[in-house]
Each structure stands twice: as structure tokens, then as C-alpha cells.
Amino acid sequence: MVEMEKFDAVIRGAQVIDGTGSAGSLMEVAISGDRIAAIATLENAQNWLGKLEIDASDRVLAPGFIDVHTHDDNAVLATPTMPAKISQGVTTVIVGNCGISLAPIIDIDPPEPLNLLGGRDQFHFETMAEYFTAVEAAQPAINVAALVGHSTLRAGIMDNLQRTATGAEIAAMGERLAASLAAGAIGFSTGLYYKTAKAAEMAEVVALAKVLAKGGGIYTTHMRDEADHIIASLQETKATAEQADVPVVVSHHKCAQPANWGRSEETLAFIEEARGTIKMGLDAYPYAAGSTVLDPDFVRDDIRIMVTKSEAYPEAKGRDLSDIAKEWDCSLKDAASKLAPAGAIYFQIDEDDMQRILAYPPTMIGSDGLPHDEHPHPRLWGTFPRVLGHYCRDLGLFDLPTAVHKMTGLPAATFGIPDRGVIREGAFADLVVFNPDTVKDLATYENPLQQSTGIDYVLVNGTLSLMLGNLCPDRAGQVVRNA
Ligand code: ZN
Ligand code: CU
């Protein structure tokens, strides 16, 4: 009689796309504890027995997706089931992007855009170590890796954010950054576009990025300008990475505003050339609109703007700013001021640029979803299925192994996340089973809180977290610390 080999779970009959970019193959995958224990052909897995057996015939098995660009810092604490992300097959989120992180800072009335993460009550982590302890106590369903936000450091140290930091302030910020990295943060982010950081000169950022070079980690940036001066911003980004000698990621790359539509040929050529001498990566979301705070200074009349939330006028959510301005018989800027604090979707991206950026081989997928908006940009619930369904399968922008690589192996390698983003023996069992023929995003601008279809099973660290599209009660996310 054949001796049975026992595992916690066995996934049968799937087309395994391993995250490296190589083509899929039919394989059986076995899981023990939180790791992938074995991978074999059907023939060599005859004597396997799983406590849990998942039939994945006609399905794809891929590494769980890594959402490289999120603002889930507080969401993983407030909504640890993380339905918006688990339902897309996301198993790891990188929080702290765009210069804004929930830690390390306390006692603050968060200025825009820090308030994208929550209000005063949410900012109560004096150190990154305390934040990680809270994440572990909340036990979210997904893994969490954190960047330290430049604007968070500034708001915690400086009395006035409308100037560049002094040497003493830079030193104090550098200490907090170093302590955060020692606690396990994986890098440092800036949002030089925002008022909390606009006044920072490049030297300030270089000095802080140099702390990264010592502590290890990556620099990500929402650049100073993504519109008319985008090439100057790319130059600044490259020079910063060169001077500090750190790898860099250009966040949510886009050519914003109609006057700059079509310029992605220029920007991607710049990035391609920079990649010859430095480590430069980039991420993007699969939509032709961005979303952030509704600031009167961001308002323009040549693009559509939709309100995602307003503290003063909650009923404005989901409505176009121009309709509200008409109703109030005032200018767009005045309407925005009245609505503030508020959030908005800006239809400021050209679909062709977005597709060109998405298709560029080094581009990773990041949702940039805003979990605290009441009528959020659909990217929060739809990003990953939209790339797999609409852009990969329907439009043929790239093949499926490439799409998977952009959301798994590539981000894991770029951000230095060990043993994730790939299917191999010994790696963490972060896995997603999906139907390549039906996977599809359903979230729209009008109806953004819609779960995608075609994502069948999600396992996080070996624990079943989504089954036939439904959330499971067990949550097994871990804090991913800087190795
Ligand atoms: Zn940003
Ligand atoms: Cu962002």
C-alpha cells in the first residue's frame, strides 16, 4: 500500500503561474503551516492528502497579489478583515505611501493630506514599533509592510511646514526614520506635491534618504509635479536616488492634466534611461482618473471632478463638483472650499498614457485606494481584477504571466519582501486561485463599492481567507519587516 503524505492543504489541478513571469504549468501545490511544502505534477502527487483539498481545475493559481501603493495604514486596524483587498486576491499591502504614514506621530490634528488616513484619534503611535504591535494585535487578514512618510516626520518635528527643514530638524527626522527602519519599516516615502512637503528642498530629502542607505530600504515618491514639470520632477527623483545611493520607486506614474496627455512616451524614455544607471521602479493603477483630497488649488475647469466625501456636506459624495457649483451658483474653487475637508476623483489622465505606462515591463500594480472615502475611487475594490480581466484578457495589453508578475514577483523583488510574491517550495503560502476567463472588476465611478468576480480562493500564510468569493473568519496576516 502506498504511504500517504499528509499536508494541511492541497490545491489540485491548477495552472500554476509562479510570479516570476514564466509561463504557467499544471501542478499540484501542498501547504504545511504557513509555507508551501511541495509542488509536483499530478503523477508525483498521487499519495498526497490535504486536511483541506481545493479543486482548482480550470483555474489559475498565482502568488497572492502585493498592493505596492496603499493608504491602508489605519484600515488594517479599523477593518482587519480587509474585504476590499482580500476579495481582489491581495495578500500584502504596502502602507505609508505619498509621504503620509500613521506612525511615528502623536497629538496631531492631521493637516491635508495626512487626514486621508483618519482624524486626530487615529494618530496615536509615537513609534513604528508601537504601530506594528497594534497591527499584530488587530490581526488583519493581510500582510502589512510599512513605509515611513516624510510629511508625517515633518508634521511631528517642525512647527511650520511652509519652509525647508533646518539641520537640527533634519537630524531629528532622521533619528525617527532610523528608529522606524530598525523596527522593521521597509522604506521612506515622500509626497512633495503636497503642502505638507512642497517647501522641502531636495537637500532635505537627500539627507533623509541617506538614512535609508544605512538602514536598508527603498525610497518611493509622489513627485513634486506630475503635470507640466514632470520631467524636472523625474530628474529630481533620479538625482535624489543617486545622491543618497538608494533604490527609488516613482509612485502612481501618470502625466496629469490635458496639456500633458501623450507625454508618457517622454517620461518612460526617461525612466528607461535612468534604469541603466540606478535602481528606479514605478507603479500605476489601471484607471484614467486619480483621487486625493479636494483642495481648491487642485481644482481646474478642463477636467471632470467628482466628490468622494465631504465633512461639511456629506450628501455631496458621488456628485460632480461642477453640478454642485452650478447649484450653489459659485465658482468651482469656492464650491471646493465650502466642501472641505473633502476628497475627490480627478479625471486628469489620458487612457492611452495609462495603458502605455501599465504595459511598460517594469511597471508594478498599486491601487492607491483610499479606504476612508465614502464614495471612493473604484480602484479601491477593482484594481487587480481590472488588470487581469480588462487589460490583460480583454485588451491583450500583456500576457497573463506578465500581469501576475507585475503584482507579485516584481514588487517582492523591488521592495525586498522575502519569500513572497512567488510560488516555490519554502515560500509563504500567500496564494490566490482565480478564473482567468471570468475575473472582472465591477466597481465603477458611480457604484464603487462592488466586489470583483472571478477570485475564488485566497490563502494568506496558509490560512484560507476567501472561499468561493466569501470572506472566511480566520485572519492570518503578518507584519512584513525589513529583513
Ligand atoms: Zn500619491
Ligand atoms: Cu498615494
Side-chain angles (χ1 to χ4, degrees):
M1 224 186 91
V2 202
E3 186 76 12
M4 294 309 274
E5 219 182 324
K6 292 185 178 159
F7 299 99
D8 289 324
V10 176
I11 302 173
R12 306 256 182 211
Q15 185 75 22
V16 174
I17 295 182
D18 69 5
T20 63
S22 23
S25 56
L26 276 179
M27 288 294 206
E28 313 280 293
V29 173
I31 296 157
S32 288
D34 63 3
R35 302 272 178 167
I36 295 170
I39 303 171
T41 57
L42 176 60
E43 202 186 344
N44 293 325
Q46 298 283 3
N47 64 332
W48 289 7
L49 187 67
K51 276 190 220 158
L52 170 72
E53 296 260 343
I54 294 177
D55 175 9
S57 3
D58 302 323
R59 299 290 186 267
V60 166
L61 174 64
F65 307 140
I66 299 172
D67 189 347
V68 297
H69 192 110
T70 86
H71 297 287
D72 288 334
D73 305 51
N74 182 54
V76 295
L77 303 174
T79 322
T81 50
M82 293 299 286
K85 297 295 166 75
I86 283 283
S87 66
Q88 296 184 60
V90 171
T91 55
T92 300
V93 291
I94 297 177
V95 305
N97 277 283
C98 297
I100 60 182
S101 56
L102 204 57
I105 191 169
I106 52 167
D107 296 331
I108 177 102
D109 286 318
E112 275 179 3
L114 263 66
N115 62 357
L116 285 174
L117 302 181
R120 186 180 182 92
D121 292 349
Q122 277 72 52
F123 287 85
H124 57 93
F125 302 108
E126 195 162 13
T127 63
M128 190 56 77
E130 283 174 42
Y131 172 68
F132 285 149
T133 301
V135 172
E136 280 164 342
Q139 184 61 76
I142 50 178
N143 305 306
V144 180
L147 302 165
V148 185
H150 176 225
S151 287
T152 296
L153 294 176
R154 296 189 106 231
I157 301 275
M158 299 174 65
D159 56 355
N160 170 11
L161 302 181
Q162 313 315 316
R163 56 172 175 79
T164 200
T166 64
E169 287 164 342
I170 290 173
M173 288 193 270
E175 272 173 38
R176 285 193 189 175
L177 175 56
S180 301
L181 294 169
I186 63 163
F188 170 62
S189 77
T190 59
L192 299 170
Y193 169 73
Y194 291 111
K195 283 172 186 153
T196 45
K198 225 183 183 49
E201 285 165 7
M202 188 179 129
E204 175 183 326
V205 180
V206 170
L208 291 169
K210 278 184 176 164
V211 175
L212 271 183
K214 278 185 236 140
I218 194 160
Y219 170 50
T220 75
T221 180
H222 177 161
M223 299 190 299
R224 218 177 269 286
D225 192 299
E226 296 178 303
D228 300 355
H229 307 290
I230 189 160
I231 294 293
S233 285
L234 282 167
Q235 277 160 347
E236 177 182 12
T237 300
K238 175 170 180 259
T240 302
E242 270 168 352
Q243 289 178 29
D245 193 20
V246 292
V248 66
V249 167
V250 175
S251 293
H252 45 58
H253 183 44
K254 65 175 81 71
C255 299
Q257 299 168 6
N260 300 294
W261 290 356
R263 293 186 67 194
S264 59
E265 295 204 31
E266 216 183 309
T267 60
L268 293 180
F270 182 97
I271 292 171
E272 183 64 19
E273 201 189 325
R275 284 170 57 84
T277 54
I278 65 164
K279 284 188 181 165
M280 181 181 272
L282 69 162
D283 63 70
Y285 44 77
Y287 295 88
S291 183
T292 185
V293 290
L294 176 58
D295 181 321
D297 290 347
F298 300 168
V299 165
R300 339 169 23 98
D301 60 12
D302 57 352
I303 54 165
R304 180 181 170 202
I305 297 173
M306 185 188 224
V307 178
T308 56
K309 88 187 243 185
S310 160
E311 283 182 31
Y313 297 89
E315 66 279 11
K317 67 168 192 245
R319 296 190 62 197
D320 279 14
L321 183 66
S322 59
D323 291 341
I324 296 170
K326 217 175 278 163
E327 199 171 291
W328 290 349
D329 194 22
C330 68
S331 70
L332 294 171
K333 282 185 193 293
D334 287 346
S337 308
K338 280 171 79 174
L339 290 162
I345 296 168
Y346 300 84
F347 293 80
Q348 58 174 353
I349 302 168
D350 175 45
E351 174 75 23
D352 289 346
D353 276 330
M354 190 271 287
Q355 289 190 19
R356 191 178 294 121
I357 290 166
L358 218 54
Y360 178 52
T363 303
M364 301 175 281
I365 309 301
S367 71
D368 204 5
L370 297 173
H372 304 295
D373 280 351
E374 287 168 32
H375 186 103
H377 187 304
R379 65 194 184 186
L380 178 64
W381 283 81
T383 290
F384 293 83
R386 185 167 177 80
V387 170
L388 297 170
H390 185 61
Y391 288 108
C392 174
R393 179 190 61 230
D394 299 347
L395 297 192
L397 215 49
F398 27 66
D399 62 21
L400 193 52
T402 301
V404 169
H405 181 57
K406 286 172 172 290
M407 35 183 94
T408 57
L410 181 59
T414 304
F415 285 86
I417 297 174
D419 295 340
R420 301 188 193 274
V422 60
I423 294 183
R424 65 164 158 67
E425 288 175 12
F428 284 103
D430 288 350
L431 298 163
V432 54
V433 173
F434 65 91
N435 185 336
D437 300 325
T438 63
V439 64
K440 183 178 168 57
D441 60 302
L442 296 182
T444 61
Y445 293 104
E446 287 69 34
N447 217 347
L449 304 174
Q450 299 296 314
Q451 182 173 335
S452 304
T453 53
I455 306 287
D456 294 334
Y457 298 93
V458 178
L459 289 95
V460 180
N461 296 309
T463 294
L464 190 64
S465 304
L466 187 87
M467 181 168 62
L468 300 173
N470 297 299
L471 288 187
C472 299
D474 294 334
R475 311 197 301 260
Q478 299 175 1
V479 170
V480 174
R481 289 184 169 82
N482 184 0

